[in-house]
Amino acid sequence: MPDFDTLLENWEGESLVARRDEVGRAWIFIAIHSSRLGPAAGGTRMKSYPGPTAALHDALRLSEGMTYKFAAPNLPFGGAKAVIAVPSDLDPADRPGLLRRYGELVTQLGGRFLTGPDVGTTPEDMDIISETASSFVFCRTPGAGGAGDPGPFTALGVLAGIEAACEHVFGSPELADRRLVVQGVGDVGGALLDLLEAKGADVVFTEIDADLISRYRDERGFAFVAPEEVFAVEGDVFVPCALGGVLNAETIDRLRCRIVAGSANNQLAEPSDAERLRAAGVLYAPDFVINVGGAMAMPAMETMGWTADHAREQVRNYVRKTLLAIFNEAERFGSSTAAAAVAMAEHNLAAAGDDRR
Ligand code: PHE
C-alpha cells in the first residue's frame, strides 16, 4: 500500500473532498479526477477498509478509471468516484443517516460530481441519497423516478465483450461449450450467469458471500470452486466480476484461460500487469471498456431519453466494436490492449482541449 504522500503525488486528478463522519464513524472521500468532458460522474462505493489510506487509494484509482470509461466512447462526463469507508460493525440503523449526510456533501459540490451505485450500494440507497442530493443521483429505483439497477446493463456489455474476445482468439463468438470461470456473482456477475447460461456456456464460479454461493450453486446448479482456486481453473475465459487488483504477477502465472474479460474495475494490480498478460499470451479486455454498460445506459436513459432497448443496443455495439478495434490495434503496434484502450481515451480527452476545468 503506497503511503499518503505517494498516493497524492501520483494522482493526476483535479480535486479531492475528504469528510469525516463522526456519527457513522466513517470517512467519505470524493475524488474528482477530470471534468474535461463534462461534470464528473462515478459510483458510490461503501465498504470497510483496513484504514483510511486504503480507502483513499481505492477512490483515487477508481476515479481515474471513470475518466477513461467515459472518455473512450466520448460520453459527456468526467470521471470521479466516491468511497464511504465504514466500520465493519456499522449499525444498519446508522446507515440511512450516513447516506443522507453524504447526499448533503454531494449537494455542496453543486453538480460538479454526479453519482450512482457501486460495490456496497443499491438503487434503494440512491433513493435515500437523493433525499438530500436530488438531481445529482443516477439509478434511483423506478418507483422513485430512476432507471434502477445498472447491473444487467453492465452484464450485457460484458457478454458482448466476452463474445468479441472469443471471436478474436478462437475465430467464433459462440459460447456453447466454452468454459467460463466467473469470479464474483454480485450485481453484475449474477446477472451475467443468467446470460451465459442462456448461451449454453459451461460456467464455473467462485464467491465469498454465503447467501450468493447457496443461490447459484445449490438453487441454480452452477459449478462452484473455492475462491483461492479460481485462478488455476482450466478454461477459456477468466471473468473477474469482484473487486479490483486481482491480476498480478502471481495470479497471471497461474491463469489457465486464454482470455480475461470481466466487469471489475481496476483489474490490474499495477499497469505493468498488462504487459505481463500479453507476454503470457492472454488476451485482456480492458476493464473500463468492457464494463461501461451501466455508466453508459443509466445517465442516458435518465437524462437523454434513451429507451432501455436503445441503451442495450448501444452498449452491445459499443463494447463489441471498440474491443475488436483495440485487439487489432494492440496487435498491429505490438502494445498491450490496456495501452491501446488508454490511448483511445487520451485521444478523446486531448481533442476536448487542455483546460481541465
Ligand atoms: N459502478 C458504476 C461504474 O463503475 C458507476 C456508475 C453507475 C456511474 C451508473 C454512473 C452511473 O461504472
Side-chain angles (χ1 to χ4, degrees):
M1 165 72 47
D3 63 25
F4 188 77
D5 286 2
T6 314
L7 277 183
L8 291 186
E9 271 160 24
N10 292 338
W11 186 61
E12 295 179 330
E14 287 173 17
S15 44
L16 173 66
V17 176
R19 165 79 50 98
R20 193 173 68 90
D21 187 272
E22 197 177 335
V23 183
R25 293 176 298 135
W27 272 101
I28 300 171
F29 295 114
I30 301 177
I32 297 180
H33 181 262
S34 168
S35 320
R36 198 182 288 187
L37 297 181
T44 298
R45 179 166 291 202
M46 191 172 186
K47 64 189 276 286
S48 48
Y49 290 86
T53 307
L56 176 64
H57 186 209
D58 216 16
L60 297 181
R61 275 202 71 193
L62 290 162
S63 70
E64 179 183 72
M66 291 305 299
T67 296
Y68 290 144
K69 191 180 301 195
F70 289 119
N74 241 329
L75 292 169
F77 295 102
K81 203 83 177 191
V83 162
I84 307 180
V86 291
S88 50
D89 62 348
L90 177 73
D91 185 340
D94 287 339
R95 201 182 142 97
L98 174 58
L99 290 173
R100 284 186 198 101
R101 292 189 295 279
Y102 166 66
E104 283 165 16
L105 180 59
V106 172
T107 294
Q108 284 168 17
L109 296 175
R112 294 172 57 241
F113 169 66
L114 310 174
T115 197
D118 195 77
V119 173
T121 59
T122 61
E124 286 72 21
D125 293 331
M126 297 306 116
D127 290 355
I128 299 174
I129 296 168
S130 75
E131 289 173 27
T132 49
S134 58
S135 56
F136 306 133
V137 181
F138 297 119
C139 307
R140 283 164 296 146
T141 61
D149 184 7
F153 290 88
T154 306
L156 205 67
V158 173
L159 176 68
I162 290 171
E163 290 175 328
C166 285
E167 187 175 331
H168 188 83
V169 170
F170 304 116
S172 160
E174 279 294 313
L175 296 184
D177 303 326
R178 292 249 165 259
R179 170 168 264 210
L180 284 95
V181 185
V182 180
Q183 182 187 39
V185 291
D187 197 38
V188 179
L192 184 63
L193 286 201
D194 293 331
L195 299 172
L196 293 175
E197 188 177 43
K199 293 278 175 188
D202 170 14
V203 177
V204 179
F205 82 99
T206 194
E207 172 57 57
I208 53 173
D209 180 277
D211 291 341
L212 290 173
I213 295 173
S214 115
R215 182 187 313 168
Y216 289 101
R217 181 188 60 191
D218 307 333
E219 292 166 34
R220 299 282 306 277
F222 286 100
F224 174 81
V225 287
E228 60 279 9
E229 285 161 30
V230 74
F231 296 102
V233 175
E234 194 91 41
D236 296 303
V237 189
F238 179 65
V239 189
C241 297
L243 295 176
V246 294
L247 300 169
N248 57 40
E250 189 248 327
T251 58
I252 291 169
D253 196 43
R254 292 168 64 201
L255 278 187
R256 292 295 170 269
C257 292
R258 301 254 323 259
I259 295 168
V260 173
S263 67
N265 282 309
N266 294 347
Q267 292 170 29
L268 307 177
E270 39 183 277
S272 60
D273 292 314
E275 273 303 326
R276 220 171 251 133
L277 284 163
R278 193 170 86 89
V282 176
L283 183 71
Y284 169 61
D287 46 12
F288 63 81
V289 176
I290 191 171
N291 74 11
V292 75
M296 173 179 279
M298 314 318 274
M301 284 160 63
E302 293 183 358
T303 67
M304 289 155 60
W306 287 16
T307 63
D309 277 343
H310 183 68
R312 280 188 276 267
E313 193 184 311
Q314 292 293 314
V315 168
R316 264 197 306 256
N317 288 346
Y318 164 77
V319 173
R320 177 173 188 281
K321 185 185 77 195
T322 309
L323 283 181
L324 289 175
I326 284 170
F327 297 154
N328 288 328
E329 281 270 288
E331 246 165 47
R332 199 149 62 96
F333 294 106
S335 72
S336 70
T337 53
V342 168
M344 172 186 283
E346 291 285 5
H347 173 86
N348 291 341
L349 286 166
D354 287 326
D355 183 2
R356 289 201 162 206
R357 286 151 291 272

